Amino acid sequence: MRRLVVLGAGTAGTMAVNKLRRRLDRAQWHMTVVDQNDTHLYQPGLLFLPFGVSGSGDISRPRRRFVPEGVDLILGEVDRVEPEMNTVVLRDGRTLPYDYLVIATGTTPRPDQTPGMLGPEWRRSIFDFYSHDGAVALADALRDFAGGRLVVHVVDMPIKCPVAPLEFAFLAEAHFRRRHMRDRVELVYVTPLPGAFTKPIASARLGSMLDERKIDVESDFLVEHLDNDRKVLVSYDEREIPFDLLVTVPLNMGADYVARSGLGDELNYVPVDKHTLLSRTHTNIFAIGDANNIPTSKAGSVAHFSVEIFTDNFCQHVAGEPMTGSFDGHANCFIETGRGKAMLIDFNYTTEPLPGKFPLPGIGPFSLLEESAINHWGKLAFRWIYWHLLLPGRPIPLPANMSMAGKDRPEKEE
Ligand SMILES: Cc1cc2nc3c(=O)[nH]c(=O)nc-3n(C[C@H](O)[C@H](O)[C@H](O)COP(=O)(O)OP(=O)(O)OC[C@H]3O[C@@H](n4cnc5c(N)ncnc54)[C@H](O)[C@@H]3O)c2cc1C
């Protein structure tokens, strides 16, 4: 028997085992997936928890429900990989030998990496919404917030779902307006980027939406520490940003075992070929989803599109054939903008988000780079698609690589 071990049963790992179990001969392949716990969180739902739009029950399910028959699910924390021995070692001492390894342990918010973030104000006036506990605690804080300076802050890039902090700012603005207290709240968006987003056209559009909503932007801000006594963010260039309530996205990092195993870069992401997701150093290791270092957004949509291509490539690779699939960095993200509307962006390694219609040219029904109520309903419907189609690895009628159909090409400059 050949042994495939997948580390992480989150979005990417679960889709991969579902797709591969259908493709790999059961008489020849033993498949195992490892995760540190049995609760699968639908992470896009964390954005809505602080505003009471969705509850914890809507966004979590037992992992084992999504692991197909014929795949062993092992619950345990990965301590290290010993690539020269082709073995995974778990924290409790269990060892798992493999012939092929797929790393899918994602990325995690790390408030411990910024001095002062976990100080006395943590979960009193400093919150995150990238963790379940944080989003739940923030719901209470927002409910009790009587007004003042709310700062939405990103420590550094890359983060998973890079639009989520912007969405939080838009939703907070709409929330205070609904509660008739907008005039009592000063909203500030603090980013390490030069603008609202990483890509120029989308950044300009999102920047003007922040402007329209009177949300101040503090750009190029690299936080050095948080002063808990004075409740201020302090940057390396000694700028200070005071807050009454801080909603921060801590530094995101790949799992520590990746570093302990000598498989990661400085943020514990696994360097891979950006088209095949094969490790740059080991021909029997792939890294999928947020765990790798490919230069596109860390997002569930990227995990989905890339796993489609990875599955075909993996089957060719283990058969000793050349891999013919080439992932183009396709990402597709709804951006909730408040007041029952959302925007949609669709892009890849080489094409930035453009205006137009998606997925059908001229028809949509979704609008690219434009707010619409249908986009908002698309975002909400996605949760159902996630549990019922994506995780079980069922086909979705969208191309894995980006299509230019429906997109308005930018006019060439003379
Ligand atoms: C607030 C928020 C909003 C988001 N919104 C969107 C959105 O609208 N659209 C979108 O496309 N994406 C969105 N995302 C991003 C999306 O959720 C992730 O990109 C996606 O889940 C990545 O999948 P993954 O499998 O790589 O990682 P994950 O799904 O995070 O899975 C990683 C798994 O590895 C396990 N693991 C980690 N370390 C270990 C270890 N040492 N031992 C054992 N197991 C381990 C974890 O328990 C976890 O189950 C959002 C994320 C957040 C936080």
Side-chain angles (χ1 to χ4, degrees), residues 10-12 35-36 43-44 63 78 104-106 130 161 289-290 299-301 379:
T11 312
D35 206 288
Q36 58 199 354
Q43 297 175 48
R63 281 189 206 288
V78 178
T105 35
Y130 268 48
C161 197
D290 294 346
S301 61
K379 170 123 185 161

Side-chain angles (χ1 to χ4, degrees), residues 21 28-29 49 91 127 136 141 143 181 196 207 214 218-219 221 249 257 276 307 341 343 370 372 375 378 386-387 406:
R21 188 62 288 179
Q28 286 182 15
W29 282 90
L49 271 192
R91 182 56 62 99
F127 293 87
V136 170
R143 202 190 45 232
M181 55 184 286
K214 303 208 167 8
E218 191 76 44
S219 54
F221 188 95
V249 179
Y257 81 82
T276 63
V307 164
K341 291 190 176 172
M343 252 172 46
E370 201 179 281
S372 81
N375 288 347
Y386 184 82
W387 295 126

Side-chain angles (χ1 to χ4, degrees), residues 206-219:
L206 290 161
S208 61
M209 286 164 62
L210 288 167
D211 221 30
E212 284 157 21
R213 288 161 175 76
K214 303 208 167 8
I215 301 172
D216 293 336
V217 178
E218 191 76 44
S219 54

Side-chain angles (χ1 to χ4, degrees), residues 2-34:
R2 299 170 96 184
R3 292 155 305 190
L4 166 62
V5 174
V6 177
L7 304 181
T11 312
T14 305
M15 287 190 289
V17 293
N18 276 292
K19 284 180 181 291
L20 284 173
R21 188 62 288 179
R22 292 181 202 128
R23 300 279 294 274
L24 299 174
D25 187 344
R26 285 179 185 236
Q28 286 182 15
W29 282 90
H30 183 261
M31 287 176 58
T32 304
V33 61
V34 182

Side-chain angles (χ1 to χ4, degrees), residues 142-222:
L142 271 184
R143 202 190 45 232
D144 299 342
F145 188 56
R149 202 162 201 263
L150 191 158
V151 173
V152 182
H153 166 240
V154 179
V155 170
D156 209 349
M157 304 305 273
I159 56 171
K160 50 186 155 185
C161 197
V163 294
L166 281 167
E167 295 180 280
F168 186 90
F170 293 141
L171 288 179
E173 199 271 343
H175 169 84
F176 294 127
R177 200 169 282 282
R178 226 175 17 252
R179 295 184 64 189
H180 307 292
M181 55 184 286
R182 179 66 183 94
D183 55 342
R184 279 184 277 139
V185 182
E186 193 185 344
L187 275 164
V188 187
Y189 187 76
V190 180
T191 170
L193 296 171
F197 193 55
T198 45
K199 319 267 177 175
I201 297 178
S203 186
R205 179 79 189 95
L206 290 161
S208 61
M209 286 164 62
L210 288 167
D211 221 30
E212 284 157 21
R213 288 161 175 76
K214 303 208 167 8
I215 301 172
D216 293 336
V217 178
E218 191 76 44
S219 54
D220 294 313
F221 188 95
L222 285 171

Side-chain angles (χ1 to χ4, degrees), residues 114-117 126 151 153-155 190 218 220-243 246:
T114 301
M117 196 174 274
I126 303 173
V151 173
H153 166 240
V154 179
V155 170
V190 180
E218 191 76 44
D220 294 313
F221 188 95
L222 285 171
V223 66
E224 195 270 323
H225 75 279
L226 272 78
D227 184 329
N228 281 246
D229 292 337
R230 294 191 300 131
K231 292 214 230 170
V232 287
L233 288 163
V234 183
S235 68
Y236 282 97
D237 58 5
E238 294 174 6
R239 278 185 281 163
E240 294 197 346
I241 297 183
F243 59 83
L246 176 70

